[in-house]
Amino acid sequence: METPATTSELALLLDQSVGTVGGHLAILRDTGLVDRTRVGRRVLYHRTELGDRLAQGPERG
């Protein structure tokens, strides 16, 4: 997903529980693949530059 999203939004999109998604996001955050930003009462998760590069796959050339 390229658009930042909350844990609840991701859980709905992926048909998973909020707890499951939160656990995965914690691991992705610990490894530097996603980060979070608070916007008012919402916490939005987004890929980092490293996460974007990994999502794009290997460089061709």
Side-chain angles (χ1 to χ4, degrees):
M1 172 178 250
E2 293 183 16
T3 304
T6 66
T7 305
S8 297
E9 292 167 340
L10 290 169
L12 183 62
L13 177 71
L14 299 169
D15 194 28
Q16 298 291 317
S17 73
V18 172
T20 296
V21 171
H24 286 281
L25 285 169
I27 293 167
L28 292 169
R29 204 173 58 249
D30 289 346
T31 58
L33 298 176
V34 299
D35 202 359
R36 61 186 174 188
T37 303
R38 180 170 290 281
V39 180
R41 297 177 74 186
R42 300 173 73 208
V43 177
L44 298 175
Y45 289 85
H46 55 89
R47 286 193 308 236
T48 62
E49 184 179 328
L50 176 60
D52 283 339
R53 287 198 316 260
L54 184 62
Q56 290 173 2
E59 290 185 26
R60 298 176 192 231

